[in-house]
Amino acid sequence: MSCTVAPFETLLWPTSATSTTNLRAACQDIAATIRGQASRARDGGVYWRQPPQPDGSSNPGLVGPHLFPGTVGIALFLAAAGRVLDSEDLSAFALHALAPLRREIREIVADPVRAGAVDHPIGGLTGLGSLVYGLTRIGDFLGDSSLLDDAHAVTALITPERIAADDRLDVMLGCAGTLLSLLALAEKRPWANANGSRPLELALACARHLRAHSSQPLSCGFCHGAAGISSALARLYASTGEPWLLEAAEQSLTAERALYLPAARNWKFSAVGEPRTFNSWCKGAPGIALGRLSLLGLTTDPRIREEISAALETTAASPLSATDDLCCGNAGRIDVLVEAFHTLGEEAFASAAYGLADGVLQRSRRKGFYSLRRKEEENVLDVRFFPGLAGLGYSLLRLIAVDRLPCVEALM
């Protein structure tokens, strides 16, 4: 497998029914649908409601603030769409949607009593880390430094005590995701927060916590398991050069490697129960490929390349799945294949990503909606990022302009 990094825009996409024009139109339609689902409160804020329950009953609650299931994730897609589609209107709407959250962040950070009472998890997808990452990347997309200042302010809530209390460890809710979020911010705001802690110092505290709990049993994959944790440690090593980080990253893969099934070219999700495998970013081969890609160039372990090859082969070979979302469905696989193409420069991954996107768009035209639940015939409108339309839209945007948009699945 080649490791040559090639500029995205210099490589030719394969001939496909899914042209850039079709992709742009799909992204515009998704953005319009998301805007159409927004509600305005008396204070002028923009809010979205939770999707219906799996049994079809209504869910009257509002989405929360976080990246995976809430406002920051929705706004991230809208800001990215504003940038790629040259829409000032979408960019402005993203900012408007974030306004209530940004006010609340400033108020909480300025009030020690409220700051001490915060009960959010610290994770990179759902938690304080997700706010840091989301605000940082939206600030990048919009060229708005005040969003980076707000992201930096949130780090004052990621205290050493909260890191030490984390028992999840993973990318979703735990300090592996927090670490990755802090790395994204440290590139832009490396200085100390209101508590005197720099983002990189907090990231190292997360890494030490991960090392101290390295014997804790983990699931397999990027979102919940060793692939995400090893990626976080390796990327911090790339930033700091501290050898123990790379050693910890390599050690975290030991248990996950024991779950590999050669005949399936995939990994069991857990050592407990039946040997189930998944082909999704959150649990299976696609996320493992994403995690292993971050180790290229950092370790001489030949198994890394072998695992990347197996994981990407499985990711690319599987047919269209029942759901189109970023977390468990086709959009997650599209995004991993795009990232593999961007990192490795191999056009086969671009072809596979385009083919999968083509299948998603053709099915949506035939059915009249995107599949966001396990039953293909069920039309559920979910505007959130990882479980819904916003993340699907983002994966399609990356097919248009990967050189301008980072891989959110990897918290890059």
Side-chain angles (χ1 to χ4, degrees):
M1 176 176 288
S2 168
C3 190
T4 305
V5 177
F8 178 84
E9 61 274 12
T10 66
L11 296 175
L12 296 176
W13 284 109
T15 301
S16 170
T18 305
S19 66
T20 299
T21 300
N22 290 341
L23 288 168
R24 290 177 67 91
C27 293
Q28 288 166 342
D29 287 345
I30 289 172
T33 299
I34 291 173
R35 289 192 61 176
Q37 291 297 306
S39 300
R40 292 186 181 271
R42 292 179 181 178
D43 63 1
V46 174
Y47 302 91
W48 285 270
R49 296 197 175 278
Q50 295 280 359
Q53 302 283 5
D55 62 5
S57 61
S58 62
N59 188 342
L62 300 176
V63 301
H66 301 139
L67 174 65
F68 188 104
T71 299
V72 164
I74 297 168
L76 188 147
F77 163 68
L78 293 172
R83 180 181 185 184
V84 174
L85 304 177
D86 299 317
S87 171
E88 293 183 5
D89 195 33
L90 287 177
S91 299
F93 197 80
L95 276 176
H96 192 63
L98 290 171
L101 172 63
R102 298 176 70 191
R103 281 197 304 271
E104 186 174 13
I105 287 170
R106 294 165 190 161
E107 291 168 2
I108 290 174
V109 171
D111 184 341
V113 175
R114 291 186 68 188
V118 165
D119 62 356
H120 293 270
I122 64 171
L125 300 179
T126 299
L128 297 172
S130 81
L131 303 182
V132 173
Y133 178 84
L135 292 171
T136 297
R137 289 297 174 240
I138 296 169
D140 291 342
F141 297 158
L142 302 182
D144 187 336
S145 62
S146 69
L147 285 156
L148 301 179
D149 294 335
D150 289 339
H152 190 260
V154 175
T155 66
L157 303 176
I158 304 174
T159 61
E161 293 76 17
R162 288 194 169 108
I163 294 171
D166 169 45
D167 61 359
R168 298 302 294 261
L169 306 181
D170 63 5
V171 169
M172 171 71 93
L173 294 164
C175 60
T178 319
L179 190 166
L180 290 170
S181 300
L182 291 163
L183 272 181
L185 177 66
E187 297 176 3
K188 309 296 176 75
R189 292 290 186 275
W191 47 80
N193 61 24
N195 295 336
S197 297
R198 294 182 291 115
L200 210 54
E201 291 172 343
L202 291 171
L204 283 165
C206 290
R208 286 190 287 270
H209 185 69
L210 290 170
R211 181 176 63 170
H213 293 79
S214 60
S215 61
Q216 181 171 319
L218 293 169
S219 300
C220 194
F222 195 92
C223 184
H224 303 293
I229 290 174
S230 63
S231 178
L233 292 167
R235 285 162 59 184
L236 185 57
Y237 165 74
S239 294
T240 65
E242 297 199 19
W244 67 268
L245 289 166
L246 185 58
E247 293 170 5
E250 292 172 332
Q251 290 170 3
S252 73
L253 300 179
T254 302
E256 189 172 67
R257 282 175 168 150
L259 301 179
Y260 181 62
L261 300 174
R265 304 283 280 174
N266 206 339
W267 289 253
K268 293 187 293 183
F269 176 59
S270 173
V272 180
E274 296 181 7
R276 296 187 65 195
T277 61
F278 298 86
N279 193 24
S280 61
W281 160 81
C282 59
K283 296 179 180 178
I288 290 173
L290 202 57
R292 298 299 195 273
L293 283 169
S294 66
L295 289 163
L296 281 177
L298 301 179
T299 176
T300 57
D301 187 342
R303 290 174 295 180
I304 295 298
R305 292 180 178 275
E306 294 167 3
E307 289 165 339
I308 290 172
S309 178
L312 289 176
E313 178 184 319
T314 298
T315 302
S318 298
L320 194 70
S321 62
T323 59
D324 294 330
D325 61 292
L326 197 67
C327 178
C328 303
N330 295 306
R333 289 165 54 208
I334 291 168
D335 207 53
V336 169
L337 291 166
V338 169
E339 190 61 27
F341 170 57
H342 191 230
T343 303
L344 303 173
E346 296 189 15
E347 293 187 38
F349 300 132
S351 179
Y354 243 126
L356 195 53
D358 196 36
V360 169
L361 295 185
Q362 287 193 38
R363 183 170 68 183
S364 72
R365 287 192 289 268
R366 185 174 67 253
K367 294 167 54 177
F369 56 87
Y370 292 105
S371 298
L372 299 174
R373 287 280 167 85
R374 292 298 176 192
K375 295 180 180 178
E376 285 194 34
E377 70 276 6
E378 187 177 3
N379 181 8
V380 174
L381 186 55
D382 187 338
V383 300
R384 298 172 298 168
F385 196 86
F386 275 86
L389 284 179
L392 170 60
Y394 191 84
S395 72
L396 299 180
L397 286 173
R398 290 193 81 221
L399 278 168
I400 302 170
V402 68
D403 54 313
R404 299 168 65 190
L405 299 178
C407 180
V408 174
E409 285 188 308
L411 293 178
M412 289 182 173

